[in-house]
Amino acid sequence: MCWRARINPLRPARDLTASDVTTLHRAMRRVLHDSIKAARVPPRRTWLTGARDTPAPTCPRCGTPLESRRLSGRRTVWCPQCQPDGA
């Protein structure tokens, strides 16, 4: 959902602007709506979920190699181009 909202998953929630929160909320609603219709998270080529488990994953939006790390005990994948860290 962060990928769809173009928000870096390493960014602390306290640093999100009101606009970021609105964008993230809209992305969450879209993803949940589509997932409920499909009865699962669809592995679409145009979604990050369709690319993250490939041997050399690239962003479906821009083709940049994806980055990953463990965050809160889970593997998190993001695109450094589409989801800049803001630094």
Side-chain angles (χ1 to χ4, degrees), residues 5 20-30:
D20 292 333
V21 172
T22 298
T23 300
L24 183 58
H25 183 252
R26 284 185 183 142
M28 290 170 65
R29 288 178 54 90
R30 279 193 317 264

Tab-separated table of all heavy atoms in Angstrom, residues 5 20-30:
chain	number	residue	atom	x	y	z
A	5	ALA	N	0.927	4.384	-2.740
A	5	ALA	CA	0.843	5.772	-2.275
A	5	ALA	C	2.154	6.528	-2.487
A	5	ALA	O	2.231	7.725	-2.189
A	5	ALA	CB	0.458	5.797	-0.793
A	20	ASP	N	-0.155	13.126	2.903
A	20	ASP	CA	0.384	11.759	2.834
A	20	ASP	C	-0.599	10.755	3.430
A	20	ASP	O	-0.817	9.680	2.868
A	20	ASP	CB	1.703	11.644	3.604
A	20	ASP	CG	2.842	12.411	2.981
A	20	ASP	OD1	2.836	12.629	1.757
A	20	ASP	OD2	3.750	12.811	3.752
A	21	VAL	N	-1.185	11.109	4.555
A	21	VAL	CA	-2.139	10.220	5.227
A	21	VAL	C	-3.357	9.995	4.333
A	21	VAL	O	-3.834	8.865	4.181
A	21	VAL	CB	-2.537	10.772	6.614
A	21	VAL	CG1	-3.669	9.964	7.223
A	21	VAL	CG2	-1.332	10.785	7.546
A	22	THR	N	-3.850	11.053	3.718
A	22	THR	CA	-5.001	10.932	2.815
A	22	THR	C	-4.653	10.041	1.627
A	22	THR	O	-5.429	9.154	1.249
A	22	THR	CB	-5.446	12.324	2.324
A	22	THR	OG1	-5.864	13.087	3.458
A	22	THR	CG2	-6.576	12.228	1.318
A	23	THR	N	-3.482	10.249	1.045
A	23	THR	CA	-3.039	9.445	-0.098
A	23	THR	C	-2.901	7.981	0.295
A	23	THR	O	-3.337	7.085	-0.433
A	23	THR	CB	-1.701	9.988	-0.640
A	23	THR	OG1	-1.894	11.336	-1.053
A	23	THR	CG2	-1.199	9.163	-1.803
A	24	LEU	N	-2.311	7.720	1.466
A	24	LEU	CA	-2.149	6.355	1.947
A	24	LEU	C	-3.506	5.703	2.204
A	24	LEU	O	-3.735	4.550	1.837
A	24	LEU	CB	-1.294	6.337	3.216
A	24	LEU	CG	-0.978	4.978	3.810
A	24	LEU	CD1	-0.249	4.089	2.810
A	24	LEU	CD2	-0.143	5.153	5.077
A	25	HIS	N	-4.425	6.446	2.786
A	25	HIS	CA	-5.759	5.916	3.061
A	25	HIS	C	-6.466	5.528	1.758
A	25	HIS	O	-7.075	4.460	1.662
A	25	HIS	CB	-6.579	6.954	3.838
A	25	HIS	CG	-7.934	6.458	4.216
A	25	HIS	ND1	-9.073	6.910	3.604
A	25	HIS	CD2	-8.320	5.536	5.129
A	25	HIS	CE1	-10.109	6.296	4.128
A	25	HIS	NE2	-9.682	5.456	5.049
A	26	ARG	N	-6.367	6.371	0.753
A	26	ARG	CA	-6.991	6.062	-0.547
A	26	ARG	C	-6.367	4.819	-1.172
A	26	ARG	O	-7.069	3.974	-1.736
A	26	ARG	CB	-6.857	7.244	-1.492
A	26	ARG	CG	-7.808	8.356	-1.160
A	26	ARG	CD	-7.732	9.481	-2.187
A	26	ARG	NE	-8.629	10.553	-1.771
A	26	ARG	CZ	-8.372	11.823	-1.900
A	26	ARG	NH1	-7.235	12.226	-2.453
A	26	ARG	NH2	-9.234	12.725	-1.508
A	27	ALA	N	-5.046	4.710	-1.077
A	27	ALA	CA	-4.360	3.534	-1.621
A	27	ALA	C	-4.798	2.269	-0.884
A	27	ALA	O	-5.039	1.232	-1.518
A	27	ALA	CB	-2.847	3.705	-1.524
A	28	MET	N	-4.917	2.349	0.427
A	28	MET	CA	-5.360	1.205	1.220
A	28	MET	C	-6.760	0.766	0.810
A	28	MET	O	-7.012	-0.427	0.631
A	28	MET	CB	-5.336	1.551	2.712
A	28	MET	CG	-3.948	1.692	3.271
A	28	MET	SD	-3.924	2.378	4.947
A	28	MET	CE	-4.756	1.094	5.841
A	29	ARG	N	-7.648	1.719	0.629
A	29	ARG	CA	-9.026	1.392	0.229
A	29	ARG	C	-9.054	0.711	-1.147
A	29	ARG	O	-9.771	-0.266	-1.340
A	29	ARG	CB	-9.898	2.636	0.240
A	29	ARG	CG	-10.210	3.125	1.660
A	29	ARG	CD	-11.052	4.396	1.645
A	29	ARG	NE	-12.263	4.285	0.862
A	29	ARG	CZ	-13.445	3.876	1.317
A	29	ARG	NH1	-13.563	3.539	2.574
A	29	ARG	NH2	-14.492	3.823	0.516
A	30	ARG	N	-8.257	1.230	-2.100
A	30	ARG	CA	-8.217	0.636	-3.443
A	30	ARG	C	-7.695	-0.799	-3.397
A	30	ARG	O	-8.266	-1.706	-4.008
A	30	ARG	CB	-7.338	1.465	-4.381
A	30	ARG	CG	-8.018	2.668	-4.964
A	30	ARG	CD	-7.211	3.263	-6.118
A	30	ARG	NE	-5.782	3.343	-5.870
A	30	ARG	CZ	-5.142	4.413	-5.415
A	30	ARG	NH1	-5.785	5.521	-5.151
A	30	ARG	NH2	-3.838	4.382	-5.238
